[in-house]
PDB file of all heavy atoms in Angstrom:
ATOM      1  N   SER D  16     117.258 104.589  93.718  1.00  0.00           N
ATOM      2  CA  SER D  16     116.431 105.697  93.257  1.00  0.00           C
ATOM      3  C   SER D  16     116.569 106.881  94.210  1.00  0.00           C
ATOM      4  O   SER D  16     116.811 106.718  95.408  1.00  0.00           O
ATOM      5  CB  SER D  16     114.962 105.266  93.168  1.00  0.00           C
ATOM      6  OG  SER D  16     114.498 104.871  94.441  1.00  0.00           O
ATOM      7  N   LEU D  17     116.423 108.074  93.662  1.00  0.00           N
ATOM      8  CA  LEU D  17     116.534 109.303  94.447  1.00  0.00           C
ATOM      9  C   LEU D  17     115.145 109.903  94.620  1.00  0.00           C
ATOM     10  O   LEU D  17     114.513 110.307  93.650  1.00  0.00           O
ATOM     11  CB  LEU D  17     117.459 110.294  93.746  1.00  0.00           C
ATOM     12  CG  LEU D  17     118.907 109.823  93.515  1.00  0.00           C
ATOM     13  CD1 LEU D  17     119.697 110.882  92.771  1.00  0.00           C
ATOM     14  CD2 LEU D  17     119.579 109.485  94.843  1.00  0.00           C
ATOM     15  N   ASP D  18     114.681 109.936  95.840  1.00  0.00           N
ATOM     16  CA  ASP D  18     113.369 110.492  96.161  1.00  0.00           C
ATOM     17  C   ASP D  18     113.581 111.717  97.041  1.00  0.00           C
ATOM     18  O   ASP D  18     114.102 111.610  98.163  1.00  0.00           O
ATOM     19  CB  ASP D  18     112.518 109.453  96.884  1.00  0.00           C
ATOM     20  CG  ASP D  18     111.082 109.912  97.096  1.00  0.00           C
ATOM     21  OD1 ASP D  18     110.815 111.116  96.926  1.00  0.00           O
ATOM     22  OD2 ASP D  18     110.229 109.081  97.432  1.00  0.00           O
ATOM     23  N   TYR D  19     113.185 112.875  96.540  1.00  0.00           N
ATOM     24  CA  TYR D  19     113.422 114.125  97.262  1.00  0.00           C
ATOM     25  C   TYR D  19     112.771 114.101  98.638  1.00  0.00           C
ATOM     26  O   TYR D  19     113.294 114.706  99.583  1.00  0.00           O
ATOM     27  CB  TYR D  19     112.881 115.293  96.439  1.00  0.00           C
ATOM     28  CG  TYR D  19     113.080 116.636  97.095  1.00  0.00           C
ATOM     29  CD1 TYR D  19     114.277 117.330  96.974  1.00  0.00           C
ATOM     30  CD2 TYR D  19     112.047 117.217  97.839  1.00  0.00           C
ATOM     31  CE1 TYR D  19     114.460 118.555  97.586  1.00  0.00           C
ATOM     32  CE2 TYR D  19     112.223 118.446  98.455  1.00  0.00           C
ATOM     33  CZ  TYR D  19     113.426 119.107  98.325  1.00  0.00           C
ATOM     34  OH  TYR D  19     113.606 120.325  98.933  1.00  0.00           O
ATOM     35  N   GLU D  20     111.619 113.421  98.759  1.00  0.00           N
ATOM     36  CA  GLU D  20     110.913 113.395 100.043  1.00  0.00           C
ATOM     37  C   GLU D  20     111.672 112.617 101.110  1.00  0.00           C
ATOM     38  O   GLU D  20     111.445 112.802 102.307  1.00  0.00           O
ATOM     39  CB  GLU D  20     109.518 112.792  99.858  1.00  0.00           C
ATOM     40  CG  GLU D  20     108.487 113.762  99.298  1.00  0.00           C
ATOM     41  CD  GLU D  20     108.777 114.161  97.868  1.00  0.00           C
ATOM     42  OE1 GLU D  20     109.111 113.285  97.047  1.00  0.00           O
ATOM     43  OE2 GLU D  20     108.679 115.375  97.563  1.00  0.00           O
ATOM     44  N   SER D  21     112.593 111.747 100.703  1.00  0.00           N
ATOM     45  CA  SER D  21     113.362 110.983 101.687  1.00  0.00           C
ATOM     46  C   SER D  21     114.855 111.308 101.668  1.00  0.00           C
ATOM     47  O   SER D  21     115.585 110.974 102.602  1.00  0.00           O
ATOM     48  CB  SER D  21     113.167 109.476 101.445  1.00  0.00           C
ATOM     49  OG  SER D  21     113.579 109.119 100.140  1.00  0.00           O
ATOM     50  N   TYR D  22     115.324 111.967 100.577  1.00  0.00           N
ATOM     51  CA  TYR D  22     116.742 112.301 100.480  1.00  0.00           C
ATOM     52  C   TYR D  22     116.890 113.563  99.641  1.00  0.00           C
ATOM     53  O   TYR D  22     116.533 113.586  98.468  1.00  0.00           O
ATOM     54  CB  TYR D  22     117.521 111.140  99.845  1.00  0.00           C
ATOM     55  CG  TYR D  22     118.965 111.447  99.554  1.00  0.00           C
ATOM     56  CD1 TYR D  22     119.903 111.500 100.579  1.00  0.00           C
ATOM     57  CD2 TYR D  22     119.396 111.665  98.247  1.00  0.00           C
ATOM     58  CE1 TYR D  22     121.236 111.779 100.311  1.00  0.00           C
ATOM     59  CE2 TYR D  22     120.727 111.941  97.961  1.00  0.00           C
ATOM     60  CZ  TYR D  22     121.643 111.997  99.002  1.00  0.00           C
ATOM     61  OH  TYR D  22     122.959 112.270  98.736  1.00  0.00           O
ATOM     62  N   THR D  23     117.425 114.626 100.254  1.00  0.00           N
ATOM     63  CA  THR D  23     117.584 115.900  99.534  1.00  0.00           C
ATOM     64  C   THR D  23     119.024 116.162  99.102  1.00  0.00           C
ATOM     65  O   THR D  23     119.292 117.156  98.435  1.00  0.00           O
ATOM     66  CB  THR D  23     117.114 117.064 100.421  1.00  0.00           C
ATOM     67  OG1 THR D  23     117.886 117.083 101.631  1.00  0.00           O
ATOM     68  CG2 THR D  23     115.633 116.937 100.759  1.00  0.00           C
ATOM     69  N   GLY D  24     119.916 115.266  99.480  1.00  0.00           N
ATOM     70  CA  GLY D  24     121.312 115.421  99.087  1.00  0.00           C
ATOM     71  C   GLY D  24     122.235 115.355 100.293  1.00  0.00           C
ATOM     72  O   GLY D  24     121.817 115.074 101.421  1.00  0.00           O
ATOM     73  N   GLY D  25     123.530 115.615 100.041  1.00  0.00           N
ATOM     74  CA  GLY D  25     124.504 115.548 101.121  1.00  0.00           C
ATOM     75  C   GLY D  25     125.861 116.060 100.669  1.00  0.00           C
ATOM     76  O   GLY D  25     126.086 116.358  99.499  1.00  0.00           O
ATOM     77  N   VAL D  26     126.776 116.154 101.633  1.00  0.00           N
ATOM     78  CA  VAL D  26     128.141 116.592 101.372  1.00  0.00           C
ATOM     79  C   VAL D  26     129.074 115.410 101.635  1.00  0.00           C
ATOM     80  O   VAL D  26     128.988 114.756 102.682  1.00  0.00           O
ATOM     81  CB  VAL D  26     128.534 117.785 102.268  1.00  0.00           C
ATOM     82  CG1 VAL D  26     129.982 118.201 102.000  1.00  0.00           C
ATOM     83  CG2 VAL D  26     127.588 118.955 102.036  1.00  0.00           C
ATOM     84  N   TYR D  27     129.962 115.136 100.672  1.00  0.00           N
ATOM     85  CA  TYR D  27     130.835 113.973 100.750  1.00  0.00           C
ATOM     86  C   TYR D  27     132.292 114.403 100.557  1.00  0.00           C
ATOM     87  O   TYR D  27     132.584 115.357  99.841  1.00  0.00           O
ATOM     88  CB  TYR D  27     130.451 112.935  99.691  1.00  0.00           C
ATOM     89  CG  TYR D  27     129.018 112.475  99.805  1.00  0.00           C
ATOM     90  CD1 TYR D  27     128.011 113.165  99.141  1.00  0.00           C
ATOM     91  CD2 TYR D  27     128.683 111.386 100.581  1.00  0.00           C
ATOM     92  CE1 TYR D  27     126.693 112.764  99.249  1.00  0.00           C
ATOM     93  CE2 TYR D  27     127.375 110.963 100.694  1.00  0.00           C
ATOM     94  CZ  TYR D  27     126.365 111.662 100.033  1.00  0.00           C
ATOM     95  OH  TYR D  27     125.060 111.273 100.148  1.00  0.00           O
ATOM     96  N   GLN D  28     133.201 113.675 101.197  1.00  0.00           N
ATOM     97  CA  GLN D  28     134.634 113.913 101.040  1.00  0.00           C
ATOM     98  C   GLN D  28     135.185 112.867 100.085  1.00  0.00           C
ATOM     99  O   GLN D  28     134.988 111.661 100.277  1.00  0.00           O
ATOM    100  CB  GLN D  28     135.339 113.807 102.405  1.00  0.00           C
ATOM    101  CG  GLN D  28     136.708 114.437 102.445  1.00  0.00           C
ATOM    102  CD  GLN D  28     136.620 115.952 102.561  1.00  0.00           C
ATOM    103  OE1 GLN D  28     135.573 116.508 102.835  1.00  0.00           O
ATOM    104  NE2 GLN D  28     137.744 116.627 102.355  1.00  0.00           N
ATOM    105  N   VAL D  29     135.857 113.317  99.036  1.00  0.00           N
ATOM    106  CA  VAL D  29     136.413 112.412  98.036  1.00  0.00           C
ATOM    107  C   VAL D  29     137.938 112.477  98.108  1.00  0.00           C
ATOM    108  O   VAL D  29     138.528 113.566  98.200  1.00  0.00           O
ATOM    109  CB  VAL D  29     135.938 112.793  96.617  1.00  0.00           C
ATOM    110  CG1 VAL D  29     136.558 111.870  95.579  1.00  0.00           C
ATOM    111  CG2 VAL D  29     134.431 112.731  96.542  1.00  0.00           C
ATOM    112  N   LYS D  30     138.553 111.307  98.056  1.00  0.00           N
ATOM    113  CA  LYS D  30     140.019 111.232  98.117  1.00  0.00           C
ATOM    114  C   LYS D  30     140.546 110.655  96.812  1.00  0.00           C
ATOM    115  O   LYS D  30     140.019 109.665  96.294  1.00  0.00           O
ATOM    116  CB  LYS D  30     140.457 110.366  99.298  1.00  0.00           C
ATOM    117  CG  LYS D  30     141.973 110.265  99.438  1.00  0.00           C
ATOM    118  CD  LYS D  30     142.345 109.459 100.675  1.00  0.00           C
ATOM    119  CE  LYS D  30     142.070 107.975 100.467  1.00  0.00           C
ATOM    120  NZ  LYS D  30     142.615 107.166 101.595  1.00  0.00           N
ATOM    121  N   ALA D  31     141.580 111.272  96.287  1.00  0.00           N
ATOM    122  CA  ALA D  31     142.290 110.753  95.111  1.00  0.00           C
ATOM    123  C   ALA D  31     143.741 110.538  95.502  1.00  0.00           C
ATOM    124  O   ALA D  31     144.361 111.397  96.146  1.00  0.00           O
ATOM    125  CB  ALA D  31     142.190 111.739  93.946  1.00  0.00           C
ATOM    126  N   SER D  32     144.280 109.396  95.160  1.00  0.00           N
ATOM    127  CA  SER D  32     145.663 109.102  95.537  1.00  0.00           C
ATOM    128  C   SER D  32     146.390 108.457  94.368  1.00  0.00           C
ATOM    129  O   SER D  32     145.801 107.719  93.581  1.00  0.00           O
ATOM    130  CB  SER D  32     145.703 108.175  96.760  1.00  0.00           C
ATOM    131  OG  SER D  32     145.097 106.931  96.456  1.00  0.00           O
ATOM    132  N   SER D  33     147.673 108.768  94.280  1.00  0.00           N
ATOM    133  CA  SER D  33     148.535 108.142  93.270  1.00  0.00           C
ATOM    134  C   SER D  33     149.687 107.389  93.916  1.00  0.00           C
ATOM    135  O   SER D  33     150.571 106.885  93.244  1.00  0.00           O
ATOM    136  CB  SER D  33     149.089 109.210  92.313  1.00  0.00           C
ATOM    137  OG  SER D  33     149.824 110.197  93.030  1.00  0.00           O
ATOM    138  N   GLY D  34     149.663 107.320  95.237  1.00  0.00           N
ATOM    139  CA  GLY D  34     150.683 106.622  95.994  1.00  0.00           C
ATOM    140  C   GLY D  34     150.443 106.836  97.466  1.00  0.00           C
ATOM    141  O   GLY D  34     149.571 107.624  97.870  1.00  0.00           O
ATOM    142  N   PRO D  35     151.205 106.173  98.314  1.00  0.00           N
ATOM    143  CA  PRO D  35     150.984 106.289  99.763  1.00  0.00           C
ATOM    144  C   PRO D  35     151.047 107.712 100.278  1.00  0.00           C
ATOM    145  O   PRO D  35     150.312 108.082 101.195  1.00  0.00           O
ATOM    146  CB  PRO D  35     152.102 105.425 100.348  1.00  0.00           C
ATOM    147  CG  PRO D  35     152.471 104.481  99.261  1.00  0.00           C
ATOM    148  CD  PRO D  35     152.301 105.248  97.973  1.00  0.00           C
ATOM    149  N   LEU D  36     151.878 108.554  99.691  1.00  0.00           N
ATOM    150  CA  LEU D  36     152.030 109.914 100.167  1.00  0.00           C
ATOM    151  C   LEU D  36     151.422 110.931  99.220  1.00  0.00           C
ATOM    152  O   LEU D  36     151.375 112.123  99.534  1.00  0.00           O
ATOM    153  CB  LEU D  36     153.519 110.234 100.378  1.00  0.00           C
ATOM    154  CG  LEU D  36     154.252 109.338 101.383  1.00  0.00           C
ATOM    155  CD1 LEU D  36     155.711 109.726 101.450  1.00  0.00           C
ATOM    156  CD2 LEU D  36     153.608 109.445 102.751  1.00  0.00           C
ATOM    157  N   GLN D  37     150.981 110.495  98.043  1.00  0.00           N
ATOM    158  CA  GLN D  37     150.412 111.404  97.060  1.00  0.00           C
ATOM    159  C   GLN D  37     148.882 111.330  97.156  1.00  0.00           C
ATOM    160  O   GLN D  37     148.255 110.485  96.509  1.00  0.00           O
ATOM    161  CB  GLN D  37     150.872 111.061  95.646  1.00  0.00           C
ATOM    162  CG  GLN D  37     152.331 111.355  95.381  1.00  0.00           C
ATOM    163  CD  GLN D  37     153.257 110.356  96.047  1.00  0.00           C
ATOM    164  OE1 GLN D  37     152.932 109.185  96.113  1.00  0.00           O
ATOM    165  NE2 GLN D  37     154.401 110.833  96.553  1.00  0.00           N
ATOM    166  N   VAL D  38     148.313 112.157  98.004  1.00  0.00           N
ATOM    167  CA  VAL D  38     146.876 112.105  98.316  1.00  0.00           C
ATOM    168  C   VAL D  38     146.287 113.503  98.205  1.00  0.00           C
ATOM    169  O   VAL D  38     146.901 114.488  98.650  1.00  0.00           O
ATOM    170  CB  VAL D  38     146.620 111.542  99.731  1.00  0.00           C
ATOM    171  CG1 VAL D  38     145.132 111.569 100.056  1.00  0.00           C
ATOM    172  CG2 VAL D  38     147.171 110.140  99.848  1.00  0.00           C
ATOM    173  N   ALA D  39     145.103 113.567  97.601  1.00  0.00           N
ATOM    174  CA  ALA D  39     144.352 114.824  97.550  1.00  0.00           C
ATOM    175  C   ALA D  39     142.908 114.552  97.977  1.00  0.00           C
ATOM    176  O   ALA D  39     142.344 113.485  97.704  1.00  0.00           O
ATOM    177  CB  ALA D  39     144.381 115.413  96.131  1.00  0.00           C
ATOM    178  N   THR D  40     142.317 115.490  98.665  1.00  0.00           N
ATOM    179  CA  THR D  40     140.914 115.365  99.087  1.00  0.00           C
ATOM    180  C   THR D  40     140.133 116.578  98.607  1.00  0.00           C
ATOM    181  O   THR D  40     140.696 117.675  98.473  1.00  0.00           O
ATOM    182  CB  THR D  40     140.786 115.245 100.617  1.00  0.00           C
ATOM    183  OG1 THR D  40     141.340 116.403 101.231  1.00  0.00           O
ATOM    184  CG2 THR D  40     141.482 114.002 101.120  1.00  0.00           C
TER     185      THR D  40
END
Side-chain angles (χ1 to χ4, degrees):
S16 61
L17 300 178
D18 187 346
Y19 180 84
E20 280 67 44
S21 59
Y22 173 75
T23 59
V26 179
Y27 302 88
Q28 198 78 12
V29 178
K30 181 177 73 172
S32 62
S33 58
L36 301 178
Q37 290 74 37
V38 177
T40 60

